[in-house]
Every structure is written in C-alpha cells, then in structure tokens.
Amino acid sequence: MESEHLEILAMIVEKGGLTEGAEALHKSQPSVSRTISLLEQRVGAALFEPGRRPLRPTELGASLARLGSRIHALNTEARQLVERYRKGQAGRLRIGGTPIFMDGVMAAMIAEFQNHHQDVHFEQSYGYLETLVTQLRNGTLDLAILPLHPSQIPQDMEFISLLTGRNVIACRSGHPLTRKGMITLADIEPFPWIAPPADSPLYRDLQRALVSIGVEDFRVNFSGGTFASIASVLAGSDSLTVLPYSVVFQTRKMTQLEALPLKIEHPNRQLGLLVPKEQAAAPALAHFKTFIAAQCSNLEARIQHEQQVTRRRG
Amino acid sequence: MESEHLEILAMIVEKGGLTEGAEALHKSQPSVSRTISLLEQRVGAALFEPGRRPLRPTELGASLARLGSRIHALNTEARQLVERYRKGQAGRLRIGGTPIFMDGVMAAMIAEFQNHHQDVHFEQSYGYLETLVTQLRNGTLDLAILPLHPSQIPQDMEFISLLTGRNVIACRSGHPLTRKGMITLADIEPFPWIAPPADSPLYRDLQRALVSIGVEDFRVNFSGGTFASIASVLAGSDSLTVLPYSVVFQTRKMTQLEALPLKIEHPNRQLGLLVPKEQAAAPALAHFKTFIAAQCSNLEARIQHEQQVTRRRG
DNA sequence: GGCGTTATATTACTTTGCGTTATGAAAATG
DNA sequence: CATTTTCATAACGCAAAGTAATATAACGCC
C-alpha cells in the first residue's frame, strides 16, 4: 500500500468527490479514479459506498483517509522545512572560533540573528587556527571565527574580514589607572595580570604587547579561564589583561570593563570569518555571513566614532 | 516531494547505509540510490554528506528522515488496519433491531463479541420491520435483528433464524402468581399490565396473547418504555407483561424476572438476523453472524434444558 | 417515468519513473 | 598499496500514472 494513494484518498474524501479531489491534486479525474480502483483492489474492500452519487466513503475508506490526511500533513511539513531551509530560515550552523571573541562579541550577534531566523540552530564550539581549519575541511564545522593574517588564509578557504584585530589593555572601570592622563610603565608595574589560555593567540599577543611597551617581567594571578571568568576576575580586582578592543567595547556595560588609553603593539591580523570555498554550503550560512559582516561593520563604526569623540575631549 | 521517497530516506538513515536500507526495503541498492539522487535534486540540497563512506545524513537529511519515519509509521498503521479489517477484527457494524430483544439479549452478546474483536465498533439503533428493511437496503444498516415470519423475508435479503419467537407472561420473581401451581384467568385478572410501545410487534403480541387466553379487557399502567424501564417497573410492582422467553431467561438474574407457567398463543415467527444478500459485506459481519448464531443456539439449548428440568419437577 | 445534467468508470494510448543487472568509481581498511 | 566495501552510473524492460475521449450510471426535475 502506497502512502501516495492514501493521500489521494484523503483529498477525495476531504473534497467530497473525485472531480474536486482530482482538481485539488492537479490531476485528471480518470487518474484519481483509477488510483482509487487500484487501492480498493489491493485493500480488497470498497472504500466508497457503491452506487452513490455524492460519493461517500465506507467506514474503512474513512479510516484510511484519516491516516492519509495525517501522511499528507507530514509531507507538507517536509516541504515547508525544505522551503525554509532553502531560504536560510532553518537548518543548523556549526560555528567554531577563538573563545574570547566568540563569547565577547559573537554570542550577542548570534542571539540577534536568531531573532530573525528562529529555526536556525547553532552548535558553537571553541578552537584555534589549526583545529578550526581541520574541522572546516572535514565538514564538522560550517564556519570559523578567528583572527588571521592574510598570509595564513588557506587556499581552499574564503576569509571575510570583520574587524581590525586591535588589542588593548583592559581593566575594571574605576581602576586607579583610569584616573591618570598619561600612563607610564611604572604605573602599570604594580598590577597583576590575567592571562588567557596559554595556547591561545591572545596569550602570545599579551606577551608581545607587554614586551613592546617595555614590561619584561609580569605577574600572572589568573589564567586559563573563559571570557566570563576573566571578566569576573577583572571586574572584581585591579588586575589587568589584554583583550581585543571590540570585546571590551561590546561588553563594557555588562562587564564593567574599560580600556586603558595606552597604545600597545597589535598584531597585523584581522578578526574574521573563515569558510570553505564550497558550492554546497547551507543557505542559512550565506545569510549569517552577511548578517555578521553588517553587525561588525556597524560595531567598527561605533568604535571609530567613540575614538574621535575621546580624542577631541582628551 | 513524494512521501514514498521520504520513507525510503528514513529507512536508509535508520539502517545506516544504502545497501542495508535497500535490503530492508526489499529493493536493489541502485534503486534506492537513484531515489535519493532524485530527492536531493528536488530538494536542491545534499541529504547525505558528500564523499563519506559510512553514509551520514546532513542536518536537513536527518530532519526529513524523521518526518519520513513518521510517514512510514502511519503507512504501517494503515496496513495493519486493513489487515484487521480483512480478518473481521476491525470495522464498524451498524446493527438495528426491535428494542426489547436488542436490549434484553443482543446487548450482552455484543459485549461478549467485543471481548474477542476489540476494534469492531457497533452502532446500535432500534426499529421495526419496515424501517429496518429500508435501512438495510439503502446501506445505513449492516444487519437487523427482528422477529419474522418466513413469508415476510424480502427477496433480496437473507434471514438467519436464531430463536423461536415464543412469548411468555413475565412478572417479578416472588410475584403472588408464581406461588400457584395452575393459573386461571381469574388469578390474572387483578394485576395491571405493562405494554411495550404501541407500534411494536410485541404490543400486538400482547393483545393477541391475552385474547387467546380469554382476557378481554386489561388495564395498562405503564407503556412506551424501553426494556430497562419495563424491567424496573416489573421488578418493583406486581404488574405483568408479555416478553420473549429468551429475554426473560437471559436477564432474569439481573432483572429479577420470571415467566408464568402459562401457555399463551405465540405467533409463528422466528427471532433472527436479517442481512442484505450482498457479496461485499464487511468481514466483521460474517464473524458476528456466526458468533450470534452460536450464542443463540447455546441459549436455546439452555432454555430447552431448563424446560425439561422444570417439567420433570412440576 | 422519461430526460437532461452531472459525476464517475472505462478505454486506448503515451510518458514517466521504478525496478532490475552489470559495471565503474571512490572511500575506508589493513 | 592492494583489498574490500560501499555507493554511483548505465542500459533497458515493465508497471503504473498521466492524458483525452467516451460510455455509463445516479440524481433531480418537470
């Protein structure tokens, strides 16, 4: 017994006649007539009362029609799912990236994206360049978010630059150092440092940044945590750390952080979005890419604007 | 998008491969392979990760497979329904008959039948010869239960005789008359009568029976009710009425009734089962017919047996 | 009851798609 | 790197579904 036939039966019963049913199914009347004949033959019993003009189903016919109707509903659901998937309104995006930036900037943007695309399901994970590229290649990840130097972009990948990778020294708002105009090496010296995970690019950034401003020896009193723990420790102490400015800017209200007005060496990298150069990417991915690009462009503009204001004031 | 294809997809995902899936579906591997290709083409997206040997579904493929699996479950349900219908274990039987006999004898037998055929649904109604035959003819009834004289059997109907239509005078057990050996006309005279609905054959039976034993004028103190109300009134008073003996016999424990040992004229009729001479009757009907015939034959035997015992004693 | 209208069944024929076997290609396995 | 396993493709026959044209049956209406 074919599901298709049950659906046809259901439509005929619903519409109350072969002719109307055939019309609703965009088929000819003889076609559905024969389908019913075939079905009756296979079932071995009449599905419609014989010799009745307003074609009325038998009990068995009505029961089968109910099942057919439920099958049809599921089929419709499948069609709608495909439709939404095609439009990028449904599906699954597996996104991986460097922990601090994912937590500090992307999470909020993903939330905003889901306000417009409710049925897109995100699977977020963390990682650095090598693992991310591997995962992108073997298809366990749909896109990666990470800081990258142009020379590091793999041949088989597309990199969309989102934000300049500028780092800053971050501290709690109200930190003693924020009250000073010019900050010297000696001013910084007393405060302990929070370090990101030792295998992260940000950790190397921290080292190089401190070297660049002359700090040779620094005391680390917290390391290895995620952004949430770093932010908490930072907000509850006078510790310092190095963070992407975008992260500080985006989360400063919630985390009570601010950036010290101290130029530190920043690596020549761009925070951006890495995806395989595939043709068969999930439709939702395209939407997400343009959405994130727009959000980050907006964020960059707000950062620029604030810097101009600060410069004028200072 | 065809439900059939979704079912195939579901099976492949469930079994974890084209080969196993094809086997489970009793099809060849190339066949299901092409079905999936076609489905992917129509959907416009990959349903399985490309270039993977233990064929793994994509997110979309898995979602569609879940729907396909539910469709398959419904299809299976439909097949099982048909199967049970064929075996007479499912379906609907619309049964109509004369009220007293339906309530007094048939209802208990239907209950017993349903112990063996749980999914057979009964729609019971009441009526007399004319309406019943009409309903059988226009297909709003599957079978009728009624008393019938052989000459009354319509040409296009089959009549299965179940019980002799013998009537008795019924009263509550413990009624004053039950203590007498021989009952005379004068004994009966003081008691009021309960009459069945005036349009019922039983009402005419009552009249003729009383005339036959010489009662010319009788007092009716209750009429028109169903068997339940007749039985209640009978049990709660010293009234008399005329009932088929099978009804009294079958329900005497529950209703506290008994029959007076008084021969009354009984019409030359058989209580039986009337069905149209159709070829396409519901399979459950055949089962029901033989079941009821057996039950009634059994009932008749028990009645016969009791009569012999009573005769010997008296 | 005969008659027109309407709905369904039937017929004849074409096309589509599903089934098969045989065979090739690609990925995993050792 | 060879072997095995698993999937994709090709070629072809057949069942079934599509069509238009037409016959037939049920219903309603004088």
Side-chain angles (χ1 to χ4, degrees), chain B residues 121-150:
Chain B
H121 170 216
F122 282 86
E123 282 179 22
Q124 180 178 311
S125 61
Y126 302 101
Y128 305 117
L129 179 60
E130 263 184 61
T131 56
L132 291 175
V133 167
T134 306
Q135 289 179 315
L136 286 173
R137 286 222 177 88
N138 71 17
T140 54
L141 212 55
D142 295 310
L143 81 164
I145 306 258
L146 75 170
L148 216 57
H149 185 272

Side-chain angles (χ1 to χ4, degrees), chain A residues 125-193:
Chain A
S125 61
Y126 302 101
Y128 305 117
L129 180 58
E130 261 184 63
T131 56
L132 291 175
V133 167
T134 306
Q135 289 179 315
L136 286 173
R137 286 218 178 92
N138 72 16
T140 55
L141 212 57
D142 294 312
L143 81 162
I145 307 260
L146 76 171
L148 217 56
H149 184 271
S151 67
Q152 294 177 290
I153 304 173
Q155 288 293 324
D156 55 342
M157 305 264 165
E158 177 195 12
F159 185 72
I160 299 170
S161 174
L162 296 173
L163 295 170
T164 58
R166 188 163 73 90
N167 290 331
V168 292
I169 295 178
C171 61
R172 69 174 173 88
S173 56
H175 190 283
L177 287 177
T178 61
R179 283 190 289 273
K180 299 184 79 87
M182 277 289 285
I183 296 173
T184 67
L185 194 55
D187 295 330
I188 289 180
E189 210 277 331
F191 299 105
W193 289 84

Side-chain angles (χ1 to χ4, degrees), chain B residues 128 196-210 269:
Chain B
Y128 305 117
D199 54 347
S200 72
L202 202 55
Y203 184 75
R204 289 191 294 278
D205 287 355
L206 170 64
Q207 288 183 304
R208 294 181 51 203
L210 295 187
R269 291 184 314 198

Side-chain angles (χ1 to χ4, degrees), chain A residues 3 7 42 52 75 138, chain B residues 3 7 52 75 86 138:
Chain A
S3 305
E7 290 181 67
R42 291 188 184 172
R52 285 284 163 140
N75 194 315
N138 72 16
Chain B
S3 305
E7 291 180 66
R52 286 283 166 139
N75 193 316
R86 274 208 189 109
N138 71 17

Side-chain angles (χ1 to χ4, degrees), chain B residues 202-240:
Chain B
L202 202 55
Y203 184 75
R204 289 191 294 278
D205 287 355
L206 170 64
Q207 288 183 304
R208 294 181 51 203
L210 295 187
V211 167
S212 75
I213 58 173
V215 177
E216 281 168 6
D217 186 35
F218 58 96
R219 185 158 42 96
V220 169
N221 68 348
F222 185 93
S223 73
T226 63
F227 176 65
S229 50
I230 291 173
S232 288
V233 174
L234 213 54
S237 72
D238 286 340
S239 309
L240 301 174

Side-chain angles (χ1 to χ4, degrees), chain A residues 232-243:
Chain A
S232 287
V233 174
L234 214 54
S237 72
D238 285 341
S239 309
L240 301 174
T241 195
V242 168
L243 286 174

Side-chain angles (χ1 to χ4, degrees), chain A residues 1 3 6-7 42-43 52 59-60 63 67 70-71 74-75 77-79 81 85-86 92 138, chain B residues 1 3 7 42-43 52 59-60 63 67 70-71 74-75 77-79 81 85-86 92 138:
Chain A
M1 193 153 52
S3 305
L6 293 176
E7 290 181 67
R42 291 188 184 172
V43 165
R52 285 284 163 140
E59 173 64 13
L60 180 62
S63 297
L67 289 169
R70 290 170 63 192
I71 288 177
L74 286 175
N75 194 315
E77 202 176 313
R79 255 199 316 278
L81 175 67
Y85 179 86
R86 274 211 189 104
R92 178 196 57 178
N138 72 16
Chain B
M1 193 152 55
S3 305
E7 291 180 66
R42 291 189 184 171
V43 164
R52 286 283 166 139
E59 173 64 15
L60 180 62
S63 298
L67 290 169
R70 291 171 62 191
I71 289 177
L74 287 173
N75 193 316
E77 203 176 315
R79 253 199 317 277
L81 175 67
Y85 179 87
R86 274 208 189 109
R92 178 196 57 178
N138 71 17

Side-chain angles (χ1 to χ4, degrees), chain B residues 177 180 182-191 213-215 262:
Chain B
L177 287 178
K180 298 183 80 86
M182 278 287 287
I183 298 173
T184 66
L185 194 55
D187 295 329
I188 288 180
E189 211 277 331
F191 299 105
I213 58 173
V215 177
L262 185 65

